[in-house]
Amino acid sequence: MIRPNKLANKNFLSSLDLSPNEIIHILELSKNFKNKKLNIDLNNKNLGLIFDKSSTRTRVSFQVAMSRLGGTTIDLNPTTSQIGRGEPIKDTARVLSRYCDVIAIRTFNHSDLEEYAKWSTKPVINALTDLEHPCQALADFLTIQEKFLDFKDVVLTFIGDGNNVANSLILCGALLGVEVRIACPKGYEPNTLVINKAYEIYKNKNLLKITNDPKTAVFGANVLYTDVWSSMGEENQKEEKDKAFNGFTIDSDLVGKADKDAIILHCLPAYRSKEITDEVVESKNSRIFDQAENRMYVQQALLSCLLY
Ligand code: CP
Ligand code: NVA
């Protein structure tokens, strides 16, 4: 029976913290958790959750994942702890390391997450920063694997903002050798360092394409993926971004240009009639709610590897 392996890195701050084999191992464990073929008892270990931004899926899926593993969680709401009053990260991180066994953090600046990790003696997990959302990418590739089995046959097209979700998809896609196409308006391309890193990882450099044309990007694609146009913290750019992203909505017309069996993914929350239409969210090829469910299994797998 498959058992969790210890990961080479202490933390999971970026998709780059895992090797291709470790990603495959986590996906394999996730499937076993999903099929109820694997039982791991973490023996009351505690996960601390620090969320500087809102969350439904990430928070709840971590809480349920931990409880299914026989562990507990503590929600360190920054507004009711000293975190919100500006206690230095290096102090919070050292104190929490004495109480908790692992910490998941959702914050704005990726450098703040790295600062936590630097001072924490316990594993730190990225629960979303402005740069990356690596737990989301693991659930996305699990959902893709459930449908297509072999990543070599998959063309994944992301249409929308080259933000945290797109950055992690690119890095995880590069590690798995998946063809990834990103279509975004000019000026909203993914992070340059992320793109360069992905090109370094890919053996076949043609497998990553960044374009400003959604129609060519979806041609023959097996997976169509989108995310909100204005992310958390960008509320003041909403009007400007709504204009810039005109023409980048995943609607039935665009879906019709992809492979006929293409599945639709969205990390959620979704703004219908902005980045995606209601019809596409509710369509038979939508795997959006399976994708949300899969967050729980990949996090069970990740926690098992980090703590077991
Ligand atoms: N996809 C995702 O991370 O959702 P939440 O913001 O609800 O956690
Ligand atoms: N890009 C979005 C993802 C939400 C899960 C955000 O950062 O708000």
Side-chain angles (χ1 to χ4, degrees), residues 160 183-189 211-213 244-245 248:
C184 52
K186 258 196 169 35
Y188 294 98
E189 286 82 5
T211 165
N212 304 122
D213 180 10
F245 283 80
F248 286 77

Side-chain angles (χ1 to χ4, degrees), residues 54-59 106 133 136 232 267-269 295:
S54 307
S55 171
T56 299
R57 281 143 287 271
T58 309
R59 188 200 309 275
R106 169 169 288 199
H133 198 1
Q136 179 69 55
M232 290 179 276
C267 54
L268 298 176
R295 297 289 308 274

